[in-house]
């Protein structure tokens, strides 16, 4: 039988590809963190209808949702050097445009993309928090910031968690586009290997298996987190989460 | 102790509280009664600044504010003078009973967790919930939740306790336990303002009854005066209607 598909290669490629998993996870993790933080800020700006910033946030979210991620990566890759050149020109500074780490373009593009999508999730979650609890916290003499940190965000987080799980999976898969900013993560590494072995199909099968497994792991982790954070209805477990604060 | 002057509250052009002025002495148990929509909740919420009246002055203890020009940090300070118990309990759903009571002590009063825990436990024991300390709100009955809310209010050691229909959302068989906790708080010498439709309870516990009608206090006296010889015709109508529904209940 001719060697149409090199099955053993599929297996052998996996460890080689996994060597670049940390890079994939690094991009995913930090983009998610910044994406949630910036998304929270956007959500708060919109909820509090802060002048000037609120319409800006609306335009930003609409723009991100209305353009492909690939295009956003290119915009970051080519746009940030352009911005630096302008800064050098107007402020008479001397930043080296060729010296920007590629990772920065990637993180900026992914973080803002995440932020735009997360901001809607976060806004809905913040709004879902029962008004009575907020009033109870205020009536104790808590400041808006304290109410937000101690009452609203913890509760909104649980509401938003399933959505965060979905965006996290989307992001993980999205990192495969990072090569356009010349960052080598798993998929980019796979492309190189494919060219080297002349075995394109095998490489992409390996990649597909890895991403699939990662997605299943993330799904399970989110499910576990949800289960852990949801307070059970029955009172058979009174010592549940006991001592968490004490 | 508490003095309210020319308190005026509007909701979109509607006058809800109309130029109210009254004083409350330390240790008084004030009951506010009146028809639904009379402005009772609004009045309590104004004392706690959950509503922002357009005009008037309120003094609680030695903090006085001019409602027309209050600043944000003044509001936060002023809210600590009183503590509110809500009709819907409004417990923090993500925190257990103990954490609910500790929250204000740790965050607002800046007590250490140990100190806060000691006080919170003491208050939970007072309302009879020593066995429910680590339960979450949704694992508690309505009556138990409201008692946690009372413990949370008591723990803040406010100048005045504000109760807004604390038993209206409860199943009838759970009303008693909550009233008992309120009575206990009254006996302990707390100054309280209570909005309630539990007339029998009001009659027994209140030192003074205010009848609120269309945003104005039209009756102010001891429970005996207000219930037995009301001055204002509208009070008479309200009370006779109230007791009529009560006796028809009894006929069933
Ligand atoms: N947030 C609000 N916006 C507009 N109107 C309100 C609001 N809250 C209360 N009201 C109105 O104020 C009046 C008094 O309400 P409330 O103080 O709740 O009365 P009570 O507690 O005596 O039943 C009612 O007519 C009610 O419709
Ligand atoms: Mg009311």
């Amino acid at each position: 039988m001719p060697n149409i598909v090199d099955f053993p290669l599929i297996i052998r490629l996996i460890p080689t590809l996994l060597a670049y998993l940390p890079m994939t996870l690094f991009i995913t993790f930090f983009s998610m963190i910044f994406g949630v933080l910036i998304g929270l800020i956007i959500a708060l700006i919109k909820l509090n209808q802060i002048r000037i910033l609120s319409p800006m946030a609306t335009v930003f979210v609409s723009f991100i949702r209305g353009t492909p991620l690939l295009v956003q990566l290119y915009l970051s890759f080519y746009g940030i050097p352009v911005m630096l050149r302008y800064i050098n020109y107007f402020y008479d500074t001397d930043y080296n445009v060729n010296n920007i780490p590629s990772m920065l373009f990637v993180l900026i593009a992914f973080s803002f993309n995440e932020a735009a999508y997360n901001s809607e999730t976060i806004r809905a979650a913040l709004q879902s928090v029962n008004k009575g609890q907020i009033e109870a916290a205020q009536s104790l003499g808590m400041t808006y910031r304290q109410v937000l940190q101690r009452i609203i965000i913890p509760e909104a987080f649980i509401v938003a968690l399933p959505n965060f799980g979905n965006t996290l999976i989307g992001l993980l898969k999205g990192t495969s586009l990072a090569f356009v900013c010349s960052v080598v993560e798993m998929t980019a590494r796979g492309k190189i290997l494919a060219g080297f072995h002349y075995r394109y199909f095998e490489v992409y099968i390996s990649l597909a298996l890895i991403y699939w497994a990662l997605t299943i792991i993330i799904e399970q982790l989110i499910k576990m987190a949800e289960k852990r954070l949801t307070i059970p209805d029955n009172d058979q477990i009174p010592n549940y989460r006991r001592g968490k604060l004490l | 102790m508490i003095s309210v002057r020319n308190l005026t509250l509007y909701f979109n052009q509607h006058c809800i509280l109309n130029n109210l002025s009254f004083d409350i002495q330390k240790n008084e148990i004030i009951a506010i009664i009146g028809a639904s929509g009379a402005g009772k909740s609004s009045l309590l919420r104004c004392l706690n600044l959950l509503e922002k009246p357009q005009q008037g002055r309120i003094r609680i203890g030695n903090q006085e504010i001019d409602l027309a020009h209050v600043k944000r940090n003044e509001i936060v300070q002023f809210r600590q003078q009183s503590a509110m118990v809500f009709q819907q309990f409004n417990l923090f759903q993500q925190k257990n009973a103990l954490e609910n009571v500790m929250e204000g002590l740790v965050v607002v009063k800046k007590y250490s967790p140990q100190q806060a825990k000691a006080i919170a436990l003491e208050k939970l024991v007072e309302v009879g919930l020593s066995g429910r300390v680590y339960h979450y709100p949704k694992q508690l009955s309505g009556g138990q939740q409201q008692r946690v809310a009372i413990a949370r209010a008591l723990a803040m050691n406010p100048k005045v306790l504000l109760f807004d229909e604390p038993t209206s959302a409860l199943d009838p068989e759970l009303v008693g336990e909550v009233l008992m906790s309120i009575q206990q708080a009254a006996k302990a010498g707390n100054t309280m303002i209570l909005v309630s439709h539990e007339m029998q309870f009001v009659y027994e516990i209140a030192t003074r009854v205010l009848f609120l009608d269309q945003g104005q206090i039209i009756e102010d006296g001891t429970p005996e005066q207000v219930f037995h010889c009301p001055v204002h015709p509208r009070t008479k109508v309200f009370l006779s209607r109230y007791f009529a529904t009560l006796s028809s209940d009894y006929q069933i």
Side-chain angles (χ1 to χ4, degrees):
Chain A
M1 191 169 115
N3 190 7
I4 296 174
V5 175
D6 185 350
F7 286 102
L9 183 63
I10 295 174
I11 308 297
R12 274 190 287 123
L13 280 170
I14 287 179
T16 324
L17 290 170
L18 282 179
Y20 282 76
L21 175 64
M23 187 59 103
T24 294
L25 292 183
F26 177 89
I27 303 169
T28 309
F29 181 76
F30 282 100
S31 304
M32 188 71 200
I33 300 279
F34 291 129
V36 168
L37 288 179
I38 302 168
L40 175 63
I41 294 168
I42 294 174
L44 289 175
I45 286 172
K46 282 191 167 187
L47 280 177
N48 291 303
Q49 295 171 3
I50 296 174
R51 270 175 303 134
I52 309 167
L53 291 180
S54 182
M56 277 169 65
T58 307
V59 172
F60 169 76
V61 171
S62 155
F63 175 79
I64 295 286
R65 280 152 67 109
T67 51
L69 179 55
L70 189 64
V71 173
Q72 292 164 16
L73 280 159
Y74 279 124
L75 284 177
S76 170
F77 188 62
Y78 293 112
I80 291 170
V82 168
M83 244 168 54
L84 262 187
R85 284 202 189 94
Y86 272 112
I87 290 172
N88 282 343
Y89 179 77
F90 283 111
Y91 295 92
D92 214 15
T93 48
D94 196 19
Y95 295 117
N96 187 346
V97 172
N98 301 317
N99 224 354
I100 309 167
S102 320
M103 183 53 86
L104 191 71
F105 304 128
V106 172
L107 286 182
I108 287 179
F110 280 124
S111 299
F112 280 104
N113 182 274
E114 277 302 289
Y117 284 97
N118 284 339
S119 69
E120 292 298 307
T121 304
I122 295 173
R123 184 162 69 138
L126 292 174
Q127 276 179 314
S128 77
V129 177
N130 161 286
K131 188 123 187 303
Q133 286 180 66
I134 298 171
E135 289 189 339
Q138 287 177 326
S139 81
L140 291 173
M142 286 163 74
T143 61
Y144 176 66
R145 205 196 157 106
Q146 288 166 336
V147 178
L148 200 61
Q149 278 179 359
R150 311 246 347 160
I151 309 299
I152 301 179
I153 289 178
E155 195 155 333
F157 180 75
I158 293 168
V159 176
L161 197 57
N163 270 314
F164 284 159
N166 289 337
T167 51
L168 186 62
I169 289 166
L171 180 60
L172 175 82
K173 293 182 290 190
T175 56
S176 62
L177 295 173
F179 69 89
V180 306
C181 300
S182 60
V183 165
V184 180
E185 41 61 67
M186 242 173 6
T187 302
R189 179 65 188 147
K191 278 188 212 287
I192 296 167
L193 284 173
F196 179 77
H197 289 285
Y198 286 108
R199 285 287 181 185
Y200 290 88
F201 181 65
E202 287 81 351
V203 167
Y204 286 111
I205 285 280
S206 303
L207 278 174
L209 291 174
I210 295 174
Y211 281 109
W212 188 18
L214 285 174
T215 299
I216 291 172
I217 293 172
I218 293 178
E219 276 171 350
Q220 292 307 315
L221 287 177
I222 295 282
K223 264 197 199 127
M224 270 163 56
E226 265 181 85
K227 212 168 169 182
R228 173 123 186 80
L229 289 172
T230 307
I231 296 155
D233 270 321
N234 70 50
D235 62 357
Q236 303 305 309
I237 324 164
N239 292 346
Y240 178 74
R241 283 212 313 193
R242 176 178 188 160
K244 190 200 68 165
L245 192 138
L246 308 175
Chain B
M1 171 62 181
I2 300 177
S3 110
V4 174
R5 288 291 170 272
N6 310 105
L7 180 68
T8 303
L9 173 73
Y10 282 90
F11 279 133
N12 352 299
Q13 329 297 334
H14 280 288
C15 183
I16 306 295
L17 297 175
N18 188 356
N19 206 26
L20 292 184
S21 298
F22 55 88
D23 291 293
I24 293 172
Q25 306 306 320
K26 199 168 183 321
N27 297 341
E28 275 194 290
I29 312 291
I30 308 289
I32 300 178
I33 59 172
S36 157
K40 306 180 295 294
S41 299
S42 302
L43 174 55
L44 283 194
R45 292 166 60 83
C46 285
L47 295 178
N48 203 250
L49 298 184
L50 285 174
E51 303 297 347
K52 198 189 159 298
Q54 281 72 11
Q55 189 195 312
R57 307 179 72 84
I58 308 179
R59 184 173 60 76
I60 300 181
N62 34 29
Q63 189 180 359
E64 177 159 12
I65 53 166
D66 178 356
L67 293 163
H69 321 92
V70 309
K71 295 183 202 70
R72 201 195 291 202
N73 59 337
E74 252 184 332
I75 294 180
V76 170
Q77 271 294 317
F78 194 78
R79 284 184 177 145
Q80 295 174 38
Q81 310 293 335
S82 59
M84 184 93 143
V85 174
F86 299 86
Q87 185 173 352
Q88 301 294 342
F89 329 135
N90 295 354
L91 294 183
F92 308 130
Q93 297 297 317
Q94 293 301 317
K95 299 179 193 295
N96 64 30
L98 183 63
E99 291 165 345
N100 261 280
V101 184
M102 287 172 61
E103 185 68 10
L105 297 172
V106 173
V107 178
V108 177
K109 291 200 183 271
K110 310 286 181 206
Y111 288 173
S112 73
Q114 291 80 2
Q115 264 178 309
K117 186 180 178 185
I119 297 172
L121 282 174
E122 182 190 320
K123 299 301 168 190
L124 284 168
V125 170
E126 265 177 46
V127 296
L129 288 175
S130 51
R132 292 285 185 277
V133 169
Y134 295 109
H135 282 62
Y136 284 80
K138 69 176 186 181
Q139 300 166 342
L140 296 169
S141 74
Q144 290 169 337
Q145 287 189 54
Q146 192 61 300
R147 280 144 67 200
V148 175
I150 292 172
R152 175 173 71 180
L154 286 170
M156 297 302 281
N157 194 20
K159 303 254 164 39
V160 57
L161 286 165
L162 309 172
F163 293 89
D164 189 6
E165 300 199 32
T167 58
S168 298
L170 295 176
D171 291 337
E173 73 272 18
L174 300 176
V175 169
E177 61 189 64
V178 171
L179 293 183
M180 211 141 80
S181 291
I182 297 172
Q183 189 167 32
Q184 220 178 341
K187 282 208 180 113
N190 289 293
T191 309
M192 311 196 325
I193 305 179
L194 166 73
V195 173
S196 180
H197 292 297
E198 296 287 336
M199 293 303 170
Q200 185 60 38
F201 182 68
V202 162
Y203 188 81
E204 285 165 19
I205 192 182
T207 56
R208 188 172 147 205
V209 177
L210 307 180
F211 182 75
L212 198 62
D213 184 71
Q214 295 175 356
Q216 291 188 302
I217 296 172
I218 60 171
E219 201 93 40
D220 179 353
T222 64
E224 290 78 11
Q225 285 167 342
V226 174
F227 284 107
H228 297 313
C229 351
V231 189
H232 203 282
R234 298 181 73 101
T235 321
K236 286 179 197 162
V237 172
F238 173 79
L239 287 172
S240 64
R241 267 203 209 127
Y242 176 79
F243 288 114
T245 53
L246 202 65
S247 53
S248 68
D249 277 349
Y250 281 135
Q251 282 162 10
I252 298 166

